Amino acid sequence: MFEQVTLKKSNISEKAIHLSIQKSHSHKQGNNHSLDRSEVAGSGKKLFKQKGTGNARAGNKKTTQRRGGGKSFGPKFHNVSFKVNKKVKKLAVISSLSVKSDNKSLYIFEEDSLNEKNLKELLSQNQNKLITLILKDPMNNTASNKFQNYKNLSFYSDTSYSIHSTLKSDMLMVSKKSSIFSNYIGNNI
């Protein structure tokens, strides 16, 4: 049922893998913000006259050195996400598949013949191993719906392929119907 595959060409780009994983981990919101002196509520009136009080001269109460005043170089709203180019994404997918192929943990299978019996057999043979299955449409597959709560078994569609979860898993199973097989594995076996 599950056939182990080794790719002919294995080109591994550490940089592409690093960028794509970094992109998946960039969950910062970037919405921290502090008020500068122009944004603090209050009057711009001079606190007291320039001369004759004995105090140091003072402008308005919103200056940065006063309590309740603005912050001079505080954090501002900014976009923290970054873009990974298409070719780098593609190279990262190829690299992740190559890593799995080099580790002898890349398998292919027929999606139509995937059933409960095959999955139970797979889990019993590979206990305590993280297994990732890439399907064309996991939502319409009855076997994936029944086994979706197993902690060592995860299902992904070919559109939601995750490089990070692929590299974390011990075994990667790719359906022959999926676009990952047709684009990256099929012509490289």
Side-chain angles (χ1 to χ4, degrees):
M1 164 85 198
F2 299 103
E3 180 186 339
Q4 199 256 324
V5 177
T6 307
L7 300 178
K8 288 178 195 168
K9 298 180 211 162
S10 66
N11 45 340
I12 299 169
S13 171
E14 297 285 332
K15 180 76 173 175
I17 290 174
H18 172 73
L19 281 173
S20 59
I21 289 175
Q22 195 176 10
K23 168 69 177 166
S24 68
H25 284 317
S26 65
H27 297 304
K28 284 185 179 179
Q29 289 180 319
N31 64 350
N32 49 347
H33 181 74
S34 64
L35 303 179
D36 62 12
R37 63 182 288 176
S38 67
E39 296 167 328
V40 172
S43 170
K45 181 179 175 288
K46 194 165 175 62
L47 288 173
F48 44 83
K49 64 182 186 173
Q50 180 85 348
K51 291 182 165 291
T53 61
N55 289 330
R57 55 194 176 180
N60 64 20
K61 62 181 178 183
K62 299 191 283 184
T63 56
T64 57
Q65 60 266 39
R66 292 197 171 272
R67 183 177 166 279
K71 179 93 175 96
S72 55
F73 295 107
K76 296 291 175 203
F77 291 124
H78 62 288
N79 187 8
V80 291
S81 66
F82 64 95
K83 180 179 159 266
V84 178
N85 296 335
K86 271 188 199 173
K87 290 180 181 178
V88 176
K89 282 182 196 171
K90 186 176 178 180
L91 183 60
V93 170
I94 292 168
S95 298
S96 67
L97 292 171
S98 296
V99 166
K100 288 292 158 191
S101 173
D102 291 351
N103 294 342
K104 306 256 186 276
S105 57
L106 178 64
Y107 296 84
I108 56 172
F109 66 95
E110 287 291 340
E111 192 169 334
D112 298 332
S113 60
L114 185 69
N115 55 28
E116 288 180 55
K117 183 183 167 210
N118 295 335
L119 284 175
K120 280 183 183 176
E121 191 178 300
L122 176 70
L123 287 169
S124 63
Q125 289 172 356
N126 303 296
Q127 290 178 344
N128 300 327
K129 284 191 175 181
L130 294 172
I131 302 168
T132 301
L133 283 97
I134 310 294
L135 303 171
K136 178 76 176 162
D137 189 15
M139 300 307 272
N140 293 335
N141 191 312
T142 55
S144 70
N145 288 339
K146 288 185 179 177
F147 284 87
Q148 68 184 358
N149 290 332
Y150 277 64
K151 74 174 182 185
N152 290 343
L153 198 61
S154 55
F155 297 92
Y156 291 97
S157 71
D158 50 3
T159 55
S160 67
Y161 177 78
S162 167
I163 292 165
H164 183 249
S165 59
T166 299
L167 293 173
K168 272 178 36 179
S169 69
D170 298 317
M171 298 171 75
L172 177 64
M173 315 281 190
V174 181
S175 165
K176 287 184 179 177
K177 280 187 175 180
S178 69
S179 63
I180 290 176
F181 177 80
S182 58
N183 294 341
Y184 304 113
I185 300 173
N187 53 5
N188 199 8
I189 299 177

